[in-house]
Amino acid sequence: MFHNDARDWWRHAVIYQVYPRSFADANGDGVGDLAGIRAKLGYLHTLGINAIWFSPWYPSPMADAGYDVADYRDIDPSFGTLAEAEALIAEAHELDIRIIVDIVPNHCSDAHAWFQRALAEGPGSPARDLFWFRAGRGEHGELPPNDWHSVFNGPAWTRVADGEWYLHLFAPEQPDLNWENPLVRDEFEDILRFWFDRGVDGIRIDSAAMCVKDPELADFDPAAPPTPHPFVDRDEIHDIYRSWRTVADSYETPRALIGEVWLADIDRFAQYLRADEMHAAFNFDFLGCPWDAKALRHCVDATLASHAGVGAPSTWVLCNHDVTRTVTRYGRAETGFEHGLRQARHLTPTDEALGLRRARAAALLTLALPGSVYVYQGEELGLPDVEQLPDDTRQDPIYHRSGGTDPGRDGCRVPLPWSSAGSSHGFSPSGAAPAWLPQPDWAHLTVEAQQADPGSMLRLYQAALAVRGAEAGLGDGPMTWLDTPEQVVAFTRPGGFTCVVNLSTEAVELPEHSAVLLASVEPAGGRLPADAAAWLRTA
Ligand code: NOJ
């Protein structure tokens, strides 16, 4: 089936994130679907990616865009059917594209059968023990059991009709599962097998560091949390991923585990990547790093050192469905990303032309670094964040639970522009319902327009992925820094390959080379312009 049958594909793959609601709508309801994705597999093949990670496609009330899962073994009717998912997996495999599905273990949906049963069976029932139900504090139990806050604002507890409260670290529609209960563990191992048996090559693990809670459920000051933290990165969590690794390794072609692990401590982060746990985890330090040579070099060094310690491949991520799109953030005065600063930076001035120029250079940087790379749909089109969405179209629970003060994440989730045909720049067929989030005028950013323009971001990505696929020295493996001026980043990879990124404000002399393989802005007179990157043949 695979031409490239390497068992360690995850060490060097370029993995494209499909956010199903916003990728392509075939049935005209204004929401993306599996038929739309199947129709665009040729596009992804031409782009040159090696794997697709699907954000959740399961039945869901969509209180958190599908990260509230009602049934882990089926497909949401708005996206299609399980049979279509199976066909999609097979068709992708025919094109040498691996499939990664999103597994959400910290919480499910309040519409999940388990939670409905827990509500029905009442306090003290075994069904309640699958979650974190507790009596409240105060004279009549009218106060939450502790002072924990939801990641999405407000208290992390909601009271049910019989007076008990349940824990939800995210939205109230996302009750946290109790990983102390062996039934939860068994159920998720079975869910993994369900998808692995259908040919899925790997899983992305949502909120992977948060599943285990301190059963004491004690109050704490979030500004000075105790160690261990009551619900982040507790030591017991590693047992879960060790068991999952056993499941993944039980297949003839072992399946890959890829963690969403947001942790400031890089050594604690690396523990998730030990040989008997996950294969890889998203590099959020790199995602948050400002456009600054020193900071980037430092981040690359720290990443390589921590991953080498556990023998795991590094990953390089610039963007996903939770963060400000790269073009918008790189065009600002403050080019780093932090969740806590999203609200403060929203609508601050951004120079999109500069942001795009830097995003082009950043694409060549990430695709040349050792390890695997994640590309979020639309990144290859250089889409900006849509900051000016009408308030009544915003759906993110972060926006609603902040009373509208935090814009939330809808701006990076606007449906893709494909062509001048049909509705919503070709996202939907002609005459379709409006797209679930409105697009700005993206006529110049459509796939069709960019395919016809040799200078487009899309053509740069296609060319870069073609070179990456052909260069044996790229992907996982060694790299060596070159001595450069402070605001220039340059390194070599085996086989006479050099990547140079100029983050200064002046053109810089390129090192000696026999050919320019690719550049984000064409060098002139042997000099690389500001905010540009080049790949050179240097042997
Ligand atoms: C991380 C996901 O990426 C995000 O979109 C989601 O809201 C939270 N986990 C909760 O599932």
Side-chain angles (χ1 to χ4, degrees):
M1 177 169 54
F2 286 110
H3 305 124
N4 167 11
D5 205 19
R7 293 163 71 83
D8 60 354
W9 59 272
W10 42 272
R11 285 191 168 273
H12 46 76
V14 176
I15 299 162
Y16 185 92
Q17 180 188 356
V18 166
Y19 192 72
R21 302 180 98 194
S22 302
F23 188 70
D25 166 28
N27 69 4
D29 63 357
V31 179
D33 46 44
L34 299 193
I37 297 165
R38 287 171 72 189
K40 302 292 188 196
L41 279 178
Y43 165 77
L44 295 176
H45 182 57
T46 305
L47 179 58
I49 52 113
N50 311 112
I52 304 172
W53 147 36
F54 290 101
S55 279
W57 55 13
Y58 316 106
S60 166
M62 303 286 167
D64 183 22
Y67 283 93
D68 46 323
V69 181
D71 178 355
Y72 291 83
R73 297 182 183 81
D74 205 348
I75 299 293
D76 191 83
S78 70
F79 295 147
T81 63
L82 185 57
E84 281 180 279
E86 288 171 346
L88 169 52
I89 294 165
E91 288 159 6
H93 284 172
E94 282 302 317
L95 296 172
D96 267 357
I97 295 174
R98 261 99 177 164
I99 298 293
I100 296 165
V101 297
D102 212 317
I103 298 291
V104 186
N106 178 68
H107 47 267
C108 58
S109 160
D110 60 354
H112 191 285
W114 274 7
F115 192 73
Q116 288 300 314
R117 201 178 319 140
L119 290 182
E121 292 184 6
S125 64
R128 287 229 165 163
D129 191 53
L130 298 167
F131 298 91
W132 292 93
F133 277 90
R134 291 290 184 275
R137 298 199 285 203
E139 208 181 325
H140 306 289
E142 71 280 11
L143 299 172
N146 70 22
D147 64 357
W148 295 4
H149 281 268
S150 152
V151 175
F152 288 169
N153 289 301
W157 296 89
T158 290
R159 199 173 193 192
V160 300
D162 54 48
E164 279 205 330
W165 298 73
Y166 67 90
L167 176 70
H168 52 85
L169 290 179
F170 293 92
E173 297 87 351
Q174 296 168 294
D176 279 46
L177 289 158
N178 173 15
W179 279 84
E180 307 269 305
N181 189 317
L183 291 180
V184 174
R185 291 177 185 245
D186 292 350
E187 172 71 355
F188 272 86
E189 289 179 23
D190 197 65
I191 291 165
L192 298 195
R193 285 193 202 93
F194 178 88
W195 289 105
F196 293 158
D197 289 349
R198 280 166 179 72
V200 159
D201 303 281
I203 56 165
R204 178 260 188 192
I205 308 166
D206 186 72
S207 306
M210 298 174 77
C211 299
V212 175
K213 278 85 187 174
D214 178 359
E216 297 294 316
L217 300 177
D219 286 348
F220 73 99
D221 173 5
T227 306
H229 191 283
F231 57 79
V232 179
D233 187 36
R234 295 180 66 80
D235 285 338
E236 307 87 324
I237 205 160
H238 295 281
D239 288 346
I240 300 174
Y241 303 124
R242 283 196 195 99
S243 313
W244 288 19
R245 181 63 177 253
T246 308
V247 175
D249 284 350
S250 71
Y251 286 79
E252 195 187 328
T253 308
R255 310 309 204 226
L257 310 180
I258 300 155
E260 189 210 16
V261 182
W262 289 90
L263 286 183
D265 182 331
I266 196 160
D267 295 319
R268 295 287 302 182
F269 171 90
Q271 292 195 1
Y272 289 77
L273 301 174
R274 289 176 289 197
D276 59 350
E277 296 192 42
M278 298 176 190
H279 298 77
F282 299 99
N283 187 343
F284 294 123
D285 287 345
F286 188 73
L287 181 151
C289 196
W291 185 245
D292 173 80
K294 209 166 151 203
L296 283 166
R297 261 195 307 265
H298 180 265
C299 178
V300 170
D301 277 337
T303 300
L304 295 177
S306 62
H307 287 66
V310 285
S314 304
T315 69
W316 309 102
V317 191
L318 291 172
C319 200
N320 67 27
H321 65 292
D322 292 329
V323 308
T324 308
R325 280 198 178 271
T326 319
V327 166
T328 301
R329 93 176 152 92
Y330 279 161
R332 289 196 167 123
E334 299 293 339
T335 51
F337 175 82
E338 278 179 53
H339 285 289
L341 293 175
R342 179 179 37 236
Q343 187 175 337
R345 302 230 170 119
H346 183 60
L347 291 175
T348 59
T350 181
D351 174 344
E352 283 182 6
L354 177 64
L356 178 61
R357 188 181 168 100
R358 290 176 172 168
R360 289 171 64 89
L364 294 196
L365 167 64
T366 54
L367 289 166
L369 287 169
S372 62
V373 176
Y374 289 80
V375 178
Y376 173 48
Q377 67 178 39
E379 224 180 321
E380 82 281 19
L381 302 176
L383 298 185
D385 232 62
V386 183
E387 296 195 279
Q388 303 273 17
L389 285 169
D391 286 347
D392 62 355
T393 64
R394 291 189 188 274
Q395 297 203 5
D396 188 354
I398 292 185
Y399 170 77
H400 291 288
R401 285 177 62 82
S402 71
T405 54
D406 187 323
R409 304 160 293 178
D410 290 310
C412 65
R413 300 173 174 180
V414 171
L416 294 192
W418 290 94
S419 67
S420 50
S423 310
S424 313
H425 300 301
F427 170 67
S428 300
S430 300
W436 72 279
L437 280 174
Q439 300 160 320
D441 179 4
W442 274 350
H444 59 298
L445 291 174
T446 64
V447 169
E448 182 183 60
Q450 297 203 36
Q451 193 62 54
D453 172 7
S456 70
M457 182 69 139
L458 177 59
R459 295 283 289 270
L460 180 73
Y461 262 93
Q462 287 170 340
L465 292 180
V467 173
R468 182 180 162 103
E471 283 285 315
L474 293 186
D476 200 22
M479 65 169 270
T480 308
W481 292 118
L482 295 178
D483 271 344
T484 49
E486 184 158 293
Q487 275 305 314
V488 177
V489 169
F491 54 93
T492 61
R493 303 297 312 271
F497 179 99
T498 296
C499 175
V500 184
V501 189
N502 179 8
L503 294 95
S504 75
T505 50
E506 309 285 329
V508 294
E509 198 79 35
L510 284 170
E512 208 173 303
H513 57 278
S514 55
V516 176
L517 299 172
L518 193 60
S520 66
V521 179
E522 227 26 71
R527 293 168 73 80
L528 182 65
D531 291 312
W535 286 358
L536 308 174
R537 173 66 67 230
T538 44

